[in-house]
Amino acid sequence: MVTRFPPRSPRPRGRLRILLAAGAAALALTAGSVVPGSPLGSAPQEAQAADGKSTLTVAVAVAQSVDSLSPFLAQRLLSTSISRLMYDFLTNYDAKDSHAIPGLATKWEPSADKLTWTYTIRDDSKWSDGEKATAEDAAWTFNKMMTDEGAATSNGSFVSNFKKVTAPSPDKLVVELKQPQATMTALDVPIVPKHVWEKVGDFSKFNNDTKFPIVGNGPFILTDYKVDSYVKLKANKDFWRGAPKFDEIVFRYYKDQDAAVAALRKGEVSFVAGSPSLTPAQAASLKTTENIKVNDAPGRRFYALAVNPGAQTKDGKKFGDANPALKDPKVRQALFLSVDRKTIIDKVFQGYAVEGEGYIPPRYDSYFWKPSGEQKLAHDPAKAAALLDEAGYKKNGAGKRTGKDGKPLDFRILCHATDPNDKAIGKYLQEWWGELGVGLKVDCMDNVSDPWFAGEYDLAFDGWSVNPDPDFVMSIHTCAALPAKAKQTAATDNFICDKQYDELYAKQLAEYDPAKRADLVKQMESRLYDTGYMNVMAYPNAVEAYRTDQIKSITTMPSAAGNIYGQDGYWSWWSAVPAAGASDGSSGDSGSSTGVLIGVGIAVVVLAGGGLLFAMRRRSTAEDRE
């Protein structure tokens, strides 16, 4: 499941993505009382209970709230992160290097022609209501996505090539394909219990928030939820990989990121990731605060400008009100040529990011692509002005660009009201584009999802958390991702539909050779770059903080130096060890042969070959992002 940052963010699925905080004070492991007016709504009491239970509290900005608790609809980072805690997937990603490891399936085997895949389902996984999890649950999940458009909302691209899915026995799942599919060990689809979900009527409207606890088989069980106030989960003591170290985890909402950081200082929460990262000022101030550790590491996100090419449905019906000037590639290129990425990195991110180039962040070096010298749209205001002249938008006496119809060239850009980066960069864009004679209105709002799905915008600040396998994040720009009906929630990012891109997408999906597939993905990135509908400005670092007097150790991903929040798995929250009275955190499977647990400022690395232990501290390099 790829995720997008706030309301739409990662589709809005993930554009992604969020803030966490854990609670457990030294000795008593107490989360602290709520300061009136600080969190949005009062969560259930999260301090240590009389029975000594430990709680991990996570601070969430209200703009990063849950869009749905249904794994079939969830798209935002918080929502998809919670789905990973609630439900098991067929496979998981190793915490060290993201290679495929067993999940609900213990092994998998393709036929000689790669058109039939057989998965062996483990016999030690059960649903939280006591029922055993079997291959029938997985078969039902996939078949529902194949036959119900509502159930295919979030992850439908994974099953669009499926021909038939059966469960010949409780421990055998068989998937037959129309064409070879390279993502069969990276199907980021939560498996749900058939006996619960077969009672659901309209999958496009059911948000899975009417009955608690919610039946699942992941490391945590969701027990309570209040819209824009909190999400509460308890540890699944019967989880096949082993029970989490904390007894419960609570995602608590705060009005903004500053309030969440203040709560961390007071010890009311234990982990804060930001929206989705801490600001440079917040990170700098927290680094000098006692009992707080700042994790600054390469991330898995990109931060971009997305252009609305004109909203349309799958059958070609137009809707929305995007400025038609953006259909001209010269206009799009002119806007991007006037963007000074270096200034954005230096002044806005203040070094906590790497300058953007291709669509896949450098963290995934196999798929990372950068434009050639002559292809690159480097900062060049003079060339941008010339392109606008060629496109027919000349400056009038007042220095304003106008079209042949005399109308000024003005645009709107969607901005997340709680994201300081959006606001800061919005001001720079107004300045840079204003010098070109182009007007820009920065529309900062709490809810950008509605205008986004309605196609009622010209440009938008966009960002996605990218999975180790890039298929999903590439699929959101295919024609198949467009909505079936106008203004309907869909997989599409910004209504792109390009035949050449679609042809490359189909080829990469069917290519099993890693090197050849990587080359096809890079060709897709090149095409996406040349069409000018996406301008990746930066790869933000994962900048997050937690209290070392509440969390003794926690796993990053990658384990050597990576992010804690928004992982491609559940390693961080499943592995987190309370600071008071905790063990050394070495018990259990961290999902890697060299699991790294970060605690009290150091990362202890167990080297697979020689068993040598050494302590290391690592800041993010210029390579990688949130």
Side-chain angles (χ1 to χ4, degrees):
M1 282 188 314
V2 175
T3 44
R4 144 204 266 160
F5 180 56
R8 236 226 146 203
S9 239
R11 305 177 195 193
R13 178 206 199 151
R15 275 181 176 97
L16 46 73
R17 340 136 265 303
I18 284 205
L19 288 153
L20 275 72
L27 286 179
L29 237 67
T30 306
S33 58
V34 178
V35 176
S38 184
L40 295 180
S42 54
Q45 184 62 37
E46 288 122 21
Q48 181 183 9
D51 57 5
K53 287 186 177 180
S54 56
T55 299
L56 176 73
T57 306
V58 177
V60 181
V62 70
Q64 309 275 342
S65 60
V66 168
D67 52 348
S68 178
L69 292 178
S70 165
F72 298 100
L73 302 178
Q75 296 182 345
R76 297 181 191 168
L77 184 57
L78 176 59
S79 307
T80 56
S81 295
I82 289 174
S83 287
R84 286 190 179 278
L85 299 180
M86 296 168 61
Y87 303 103
D88 219 349
F89 294 35
L90 287 183
T91 62
N92 208 326
Y93 297 104
D94 182 88
K96 177 187 176 185
D97 59 12
S98 295
H99 73 270
I101 61 174
L104 183 61
T106 59
K107 61 180 180 179
W108 41 91
E109 184 178 5
S111 59
D113 61 5
K114 304 291 180 67
L115 292 177
T116 301
W117 286 70
T118 301
Y119 299 83
T120 299
I121 303 301
R122 65 176 57 257
D123 62 5
D124 57 352
S125 176
K126 64 179 182 180
W127 301 107
S128 53
D129 62 0
E131 294 275 345
K132 186 174 182 178
T134 69
E136 182 61 30
D137 295 304
W140 186 89
T141 298
F142 290 130
N143 277 303
K144 175 56 65 173
M145 293 170 63
M146 293 163 62
T147 57
D148 188 314
E149 194 173 82
T153 299
S154 287
N155 301 304
S157 63
F158 288 113
V159 302
S160 61
N161 183 47
F162 285 14
K163 180 179 180 181
K164 184 179 181 181
V165 182
T166 58
S169 67
D171 68 340
K172 285 291 183 289
L173 175 72
V174 179
V175 179
E176 297 178 38
L177 305 172
K178 302 171 187 176
Q179 301 290 334
Q181 182 169 325
T183 61
M184 296 307 289
T185 60
L187 298 173
D188 291 318
V189 177
I191 304 302
V192 302
K194 174 186 176 183
H195 66 282
V196 174
W197 283 82
E198 64 184 352
K199 301 172 185 177
V200 175
D202 189 344
F203 274 70
S204 67
K205 296 180 180 179
F206 181 69
N207 283 313
N208 197 25
D209 58 0
T210 57
K211 185 178 180 180
F212 302 98
I214 295 175
V215 178
N217 66 338
F220 288 89
I221 301 166
L222 201 152
T223 58
D224 198 8
Y225 167 63
K226 184 176 181 180
V227 177
D228 289 346
S229 291
Y230 61 82
V231 182
K232 184 175 182 179
L233 305 96
K234 69 176 182 180
N236 181 358
K237 302 300 184 181
D238 296 320
F239 184 50
W240 63 266
R241 198 183 290 276
K245 314 300 187 296
F246 276 90
D247 295 308
E248 65 179 5
I249 181 170
V250 176
F251 295 85
R252 183 192 291 174
Y253 290 83
Y254 284 80
K255 61 181 181 180
D256 56 37
Q257 190 162 303
D258 286 335
V261 170
L264 181 73
R265 291 181 183 279
K266 298 174 184 177
E268 296 170 0
V269 300
S270 301
F271 184 96
V272 175
S275 304
S277 293
L278 297 176
T279 66
Q282 289 168 340
S285 66
L286 289 174
K287 284 180 179 179
T288 60
T289 302
E290 185 179 6
N291 296 326
I292 289 180
K293 164 69 178 177
V294 174
N295 181 47
D296 173 16
R300 55 183 282 247
R301 291 179 47 76
F302 65 76
Y303 183 87
L305 284 178
V307 173
N308 179 3
Q312 61 178 314
T313 59
K314 289 180 180 178
D315 60 5
K317 181 180 179 181
K318 309 295 183 181
F319 64 96
D321 61 1
N323 191 321
L326 290 171
K327 291 184 178 297
D328 190 332
K330 291 183 178 180
V331 173
R332 299 194 297 270
Q333 289 181 5
L335 295 179
F336 292 169
L337 283 166
S338 63
V339 174
D340 187 348
R341 291 178 176 80
K342 187 177 187 305
T343 292
I344 289 174
I345 300 300
D346 294 343
K347 302 297 185 181
V348 179
F349 289 99
Q350 295 181 32
Y352 287 93
V354 179
E355 189 172 328
E357 294 184 288
Y359 191 65
I360 305 296
R363 169 160 159 176
Y364 305 110
D365 55 357
S366 295
Y367 301 106
F368 178 61
W369 169 90
K370 57 177 62 179
S372 61
E374 59 182 23
Q375 183 183 23
K376 186 173 183 178
L377 296 174
H379 183 224
D380 192 338
K383 185 175 181 181
L387 283 174
L388 289 178
D389 286 339
E390 292 176 18
Y393 295 95
K394 307 283 188 178
K395 278 189 175 182
N396 59 21
K400 180 70 179 177
R401 297 274 176 180
T402 58
K404 295 179 180 179
D405 56 4
K407 293 183 179 179
L409 190 60
D410 292 327
F411 299 111
R412 304 157 296 168
I413 186 167
L414 281 178
C415 155
H416 300 92
T418 59
D419 191 330
N421 293 331
D422 283 9
K423 294 179 179 178
I425 295 173
K427 291 180 180 179
Y428 276 113
L429 293 180
Q430 287 179 319
E431 176 185 338
W432 294 332
W433 293 354
E435 292 173 354
L436 280 177
V438 176
L440 178 66
K441 179 183 179 182
V442 181
D443 288 327
C444 292
M445 54 187 72
D446 291 328
N447 174 20
V448 302
S449 292
D450 290 344
W452 203 309
F453 284 120
E456 295 171 352
Y457 68 99
D458 299 323
L459 301 104
F461 289 108
D462 194 8
W464 283 81
S465 293
V466 180
N467 288 346
D469 188 291
D471 178 77
F472 178 83
V473 80
M474 305 305 291
S475 75
I476 60 179
H477 295 305
T478 62
C479 300
L482 293 173
K485 298 179 180 179
K487 301 185 178 183
Q488 184 181 69
T489 300
T492 188
D493 186 33
N494 58 323
F495 306 103
I496 295 174
C497 181
D498 178 73
K499 183 178 180 181
Q500 184 175 330
Y501 181 90
D502 277 17
E503 290 174 351
L504 289 169
Y505 175 78
K507 289 180 180 178
Q508 69 81 29
L509 185 61
E511 182 54 70
Y512 283 100
D513 182 280
K516 292 180 179 178
R517 184 174 180 230
D519 181 65
L520 287 167
V521 170
K522 290 177 181 178
Q523 290 182 48
M524 293 173 67
E525 294 183 75
S526 179
R527 177 61 182 173
L528 193 59
Y529 187 91
D530 287 343
T531 57
Y533 293 121
M534 291 292 295
N535 181 359
V536 177
M537 297 182 290
Y539 308 115
N541 290 355
V543 187
E544 47 203 2
Y546 63 92
R547 296 197 62 91
T548 57
D549 56 354
Q550 296 182 21
I551 300 177
K552 177 182 179 181
S553 61
I554 192 165
T555 301
T556 63
M557 186 175 185
S559 53
N563 55 296
I564 295 173
Y565 178 77
Q567 294 181 356
D568 299 298
Y570 42 68
W571 309 121
S572 56
W573 312 122
W574 173 78
S575 72
V577 177
S583 66
D584 61 6
S586 61
S587 62
D589 174 10
S590 70
S592 170
S593 58
T594 60
V596 175
L597 297 176
I598 289 196
V600 199
I602 65 171
V604 179
V605 183
V606 183
L607 294 183
L612 173 66
L613 297 179
F614 66 96
M616 63 177 284
R617 187 189 302 264
R618 159 122 185 232
R619 280 183 56 100
S620 69
T621 63
E623 273 266 309
D624 269 352
R625 60 151 212 121
E626 175 232 64

